[in-house]
Amino acid sequence: GGPIRSQSGITSSFGRYLVLNVDLASMRREAAALPHYQKASLVLGDATAIPLQDGSVDFVVANALLEHIMPPTHRPQFVREVSRVARKGYFISAPNYWFPLEPHYYLPFFQFLPESFKRWLSQRVRMGWMYKESYVPVSLPTKRELRRLFPGANITGLSFSHTISETIIAWQRFEQE
């Protein structure tokens, strides 16, 4: 549900768009609640195996998704799928691993802790938007990883704090023939 809501500001720029999610029930709840979904087609599927034909969409926009695709085996498959279905280009953004505040758990430096300690702590304390006892692994990417995953892309950061980029972005517009 969350990633769909965050895209509402950009969807007004598109005539028609697809929303891909692994959880159809949450997509339907969001679609019923928000008027901007009138132009959306809901597609049930996994971003590492997108159920669309080659070049079937103009642009792929993925905001705050990459950190939920666990490396190292699944992220390259996601990149292949993005490149396969996008006809004109893509825009992939994710929270920056090196920014001090982890945005899912709202804790400073949480991303640097061992997984076992994160899991232990989540059993005892509610953190951020995560409920107590509902730890979900999150693996924030770095710019270096984006450069490796998207070798032809422009890699940049976005910073509202004017220090370390809170968000990192890989984007590419394909040459039109």
Side-chain angles (χ1 to χ4, degrees):
I4 296 170
R5 190 174 302 120
S6 68
Q7 293 178 355
S8 63
I10 61 170
T11 57
S12 61
S13 302
F14 300 105
R16 183 174 156 263
Y17 56 95
L18 301 171
V19 176
L20 177 71
N21 196 321
V22 294
D23 182 13
L24 187 59
S26 70
M27 287 188 345
R28 286 189 174 144
R29 282 191 303 274
E30 293 286 341
L34 299 172
H36 67 273
Y37 283 99
Q38 293 172 353
K39 298 188 300 183
S41 297
L42 305 178
V43 177
L44 181 64
D46 184 326
T48 62
I50 300 173
L52 299 173
Q53 294 188 6
D54 296 0
S56 59
V57 298
D58 287 341
F59 293 96
V60 172
V61 177
N63 179 37
L65 168 68
L66 190 61
E67 71 270 19
H68 299 284
I69 299 173
M70 290 298 113
T73 56
H74 293 91
R75 286 183 181 172
Q77 183 60 32
F78 166 70
V79 173
R80 283 191 292 275
E81 287 295 283
V82 165
S83 298
R84 182 183 67 77
V85 301
R87 192 166 50 87
K88 294 182 180 181
Y90 56 81
F91 182 94
I92 312 297
S93 64
N96 184 1
Y97 175 82
W98 295 110
F99 188 72
L101 183 66
E102 201 289 335
H104 300 84
Y105 293 93
Y106 301 144
L107 289 176
F109 311 110
F110 188 71
Q111 66 272 31
F112 304 123
L113 298 174
E115 283 299 310
S116 58
F117 184 71
K118 292 180 198 177
R119 196 173 301 282
W120 177 86
L121 189 60
S122 72
Q123 297 298 311
R124 286 148 182 82
V125 180
R126 180 179 174 163
M127 300 175 288
W129 57 268
M130 301 299 221
Y131 290 102
K132 186 175 165 184
E133 299 180 9
S134 66
Y135 178 71
V136 175
V138 174
S139 179
L140 304 179
T142 63
K143 279 187 178 181
R144 177 181 290 171
E145 182 182 7
L146 288 187
R147 281 189 202 95
R148 187 175 40 74
L149 288 170
F150 300 95
N154 298 288
I155 308 296
T156 189
L158 179 63
S159 176
F160 295 102
S161 63
H162 304 291
T163 57
I164 300 169
S165 298
E166 295 91 346
T167 301
I168 53 176
I169 301 162
W171 66 274
Q172 183 174 11
R173 184 172 178 107
F174 302 146
E175 295 296 322
Q176 298 298 307
E177 297 176 24

